[in-house]
Amino acid sequence: MTLASRAAPCAASRIAVLSMHTSPLAPLGGAATGGMNVYIHEVSERLARSDRAIDVFTRRESAAAPAVMEFAPGARLIQIEAGPVAAVPKAELIEFAADFAAGVETFRAAEAITYDLVHSHYWLSAVAGERLVADWGVPHIAMFHTLGEVKLRARASEHEPPERLEAERHLVHSVDRVVAATDYEQRLLRQIYGVPRSRVEVIPLGVDPERFCPGSREAARAELGLADDAQVVLAVGRIEPLKGLDILIRAAAQVTERSRLQLLIVGGDEAARPEFDRLSAIAEEVGVSDLVRFAGAVGHEALPDYYRAADVVVMPSFSESFGLVAVEAMASGVPVIASRVGGLASTVADGRTGYLVPWRCPEPFAEKIELLLRNRPLRDALGAAGVVRMRDFSWESVADRLVGLYDELDRAAVAGAESVAGG
Ligand code: UDP
């Protein structure tokens, strides 16, 4: 199929979303799941409501998953066999990107449908997407979520595969548009990769205000077995060194009045065992083992109770491309103390909805935790301001912005094809 052979539509109507290395429906909180899965799930549902048919393609990891599953009206999840039908370390997946693209094309041909646009998530999908758009002659949008070079510079990673670095250097220029979550990411794309501003669309992520909203703290604590008078400091996310939870544990040890302190850490699966062990050893070393509770991974639908039960959410991350957890916490009316990195610097309003800490060391986190735990009116005021601020962050508006971008690229592609056809 070539673009010139497509009927000239006025708007993109069928989108292929590539999520090769992780399924948007995979359980959250594990090593390979997080903000990107939430994004694809939430946005696909809403895009499908706007009359776009959304097909999300992911690499098959389990024989049990249905080949095609409609997870929301108009949004399907399609399993593509490429490489072993099992979890494969991310670092090895590039080998299967070509097979993944071929599988998507086989599916398309079998269904006798055409796609108007490819939206790739993460560099592995973008490699596959590039092959597809070359055959299909349609626009290609990529959202990288993280970029190897950026992680290296932020010292958020010690090693990134050379093929990733090379592919990203090429892809940021070859796709029709990069979607970035923040102005900061857009600047990095310009400074590190030389991507012009006009090729980047900045669309902040969102939050579901019906799920993440203030609610009864007492009821949430009763549900979770937490004492009414406990001082609950919450952290949520993948359990890995990048999230800086060692800083949080060391900070807890510096809080002077700790008799009611409870550090609740949500996230992590079996793959996070080494980090759990490291964190437990640190808690032991600094004498706060009895205050730390690891809750393990918690389903997204059960998370609201955790936020509502919390007095403060802390994110001492070394790097965070957006940081959905901060947005969810603020939407739930809880102040956030976060490192001043990545997207956190643009979502948390320092001194108004929480605090941004420019240093990755325990002392300033301890100071802010103590300040908030001692001062309920301040906590309540910052929490209330967070709820108001988060009204600007909705998945609806993300989907609306994407629809605008799809339409713009589709019109440009059709106009380009018509001018070629017209000679
Ligand atoms: N999450 C969850 N259950 C868990 C841990 C995390 O539902 O046990 C969700 C969390 O609510 C958030 C996402 O996973 O929506 C993590 O996204 P974030 O952007 O904070 O981190 P990233 O995945 O980008 O590192």
Side-chain angles (χ1 to χ4, degrees):
M1 180 191 68
T2 63
L3 189 72
S5 67
R6 291 164 52 207
C10 57
S13 55
R14 192 183 289 278
I15 313 291
V17 176
L18 307 188
S19 179
M20 180 180 156
H21 79 281
T22 177
S23 158
L25 303 188
L28 294 167
T33 54
M36 178 180 137
N37 308 65
V38 175
Y39 183 96
I40 298 174
H41 192 169
E42 298 281 354
V43 168
S44 298
E45 269 186 34
R46 285 156 180 89
L47 284 171
R49 284 185 214 150
S50 72
D51 275 353
R52 268 89 191 150
I54 303 297
D55 283 346
V56 182
F57 294 92
T58 195
R59 198 188 71 84
R60 180 182 282 287
E61 289 191 353
S62 145
V68 178
M69 181 196 158
E70 189 167 47
F71 62 95
R76 304 189 290 179
L77 177 66
I78 297 148
Q79 304 283 334
I80 298 294
E81 215 165 305
V85 178
V88 169
K90 250 204 263 188
E92 292 165 26
L93 280 176
I94 187 60
E95 276 182 58
F96 310 115
D99 290 351
F100 183 74
V104 174
E105 166 54 15
T106 303
F107 175 86
R108 184 204 67 75
E111 292 248 314
I113 53 177
T114 58
Y115 290 99
D116 300 287
L117 188 138
V118 174
H119 189 157
S120 300
H121 290 273
Y122 198 63
W123 74 278
L124 293 165
S125 296
V127 170
E130 187 159 55
R131 287 175 171 257
L132 291 169
V133 297
D135 287 348
W136 297 348
V138 298
H140 190 194
I141 293 179
M143 195 163 173
F144 289 95
H145 298 271
T146 60
L147 285 155
E149 199 78 54
V150 172
K151 284 180 80 178
L152 288 175
R153 289 185 190 212
R155 295 184 206 280
S157 155
E158 280 167 15
H159 172 78
E160 289 298 325
E163 57 272 33
R164 173 180 186 178
L165 300 175
E166 198 183 315
E168 287 176 343
R169 274 195 292 269
H170 159 78
L171 288 162
V172 292
H173 293 283
S174 69
V175 298
D176 293 283
R177 205 65 64 86
V178 178
V179 174
T182 60
D183 290 326
Y184 175 68
E185 191 182 336
Q186 181 269 315
R187 284 198 296 279
L188 290 174
L189 282 159
R190 182 163 47 78
Q191 287 161 4
I192 301 178
Y193 300 90
V195 184
R197 175 73 189 86
S198 59
R199 314 255 315 164
V200 181
E201 190 80 11
V202 179
I203 306 181
L205 275 59
V207 64
D208 179 349
E210 278 163 30
R211 173 169 286 167
F212 297 108
C213 54
S216 161
R217 196 165 82 130
E218 290 65 32
R221 287 188 173 199
E223 188 63 38
L224 300 177
L226 293 163
D228 266 349
D229 67 346
Q231 296 181 316
V232 179
V233 174
L234 174 69
V236 178
R238 285 178 288 122
I239 303 298
E240 57 171 49
L242 189 75
K243 298 285 180 183
L245 295 173
D246 49 340
I247 296 172
L248 174 57
I249 290 171
R250 290 185 192 280
Q254 292 185 15
V255 171
T256 31
E257 171 43 52
R258 298 201 293 269
S259 57
R260 290 182 294 128
L261 187 64
Q262 169 92 73
L263 205 57
L264 184 55
I265 299 180
V266 167
D269 54 10
E270 232 354 88
R273 183 55 46 208
E275 181 63 0
F276 276 129
D277 291 346
R278 187 178 80 96
L279 295 173
S280 302
I282 293 172
E284 186 84 24
E285 174 201 323
V286 298
V288 293
S289 296
D290 53 333
L291 309 183
V292 182
R293 176 168 141 194
F294 291 108
V298 169
H300 211 50
E301 62 300 329
L303 267 183
D305 271 344
Y306 284 81
Y307 290 121
R308 286 174 189 159
D311 290 300
V312 54
V313 165
V314 183
M315 299 180 76
S317 312
F318 285 84
S319 160
E320 202 71 67
S321 33
F322 188 75
L324 273 182
V325 163
V327 172
E328 292 163 358
M330 288 184 280
S332 308
V334 185
V336 175
I337 303 172
S339 305
R340 189 189 288 277
V341 292
L344 295 172
S346 52
T347 53
V348 178
D350 191 26
R352 287 190 289 130
T353 67
Y355 296 104
L356 288 168
V357 177
W359 304 281
R360 243 65 76 222
C361 50
E363 292 75 14
F365 281 94
E367 188 197 312
K368 296 301 184 200
I369 291 171
E370 198 143 30
L371 173 70
L372 286 180
L373 290 183
R374 281 191 181 163
N375 192 335
R376 179 142 194 192
L378 176 64
R379 255 181 3 243
D380 289 348
L382 297 186
V387 176
V388 174
R389 185 170 167 82
M390 288 308 109
R391 288 190 193 136
D392 292 341
F393 293 82
S394 79
W395 293 119
E396 261 75 26
S397 74
V398 177
D400 284 351
R401 297 274 309 273
L402 283 175
V403 165
L405 180 61
Y406 293 166
D407 287 353
E408 178 195 330
L409 291 176
D410 198 58
R411 276 194 303 271
V414 170
E418 282 171 354
S419 77
V420 170

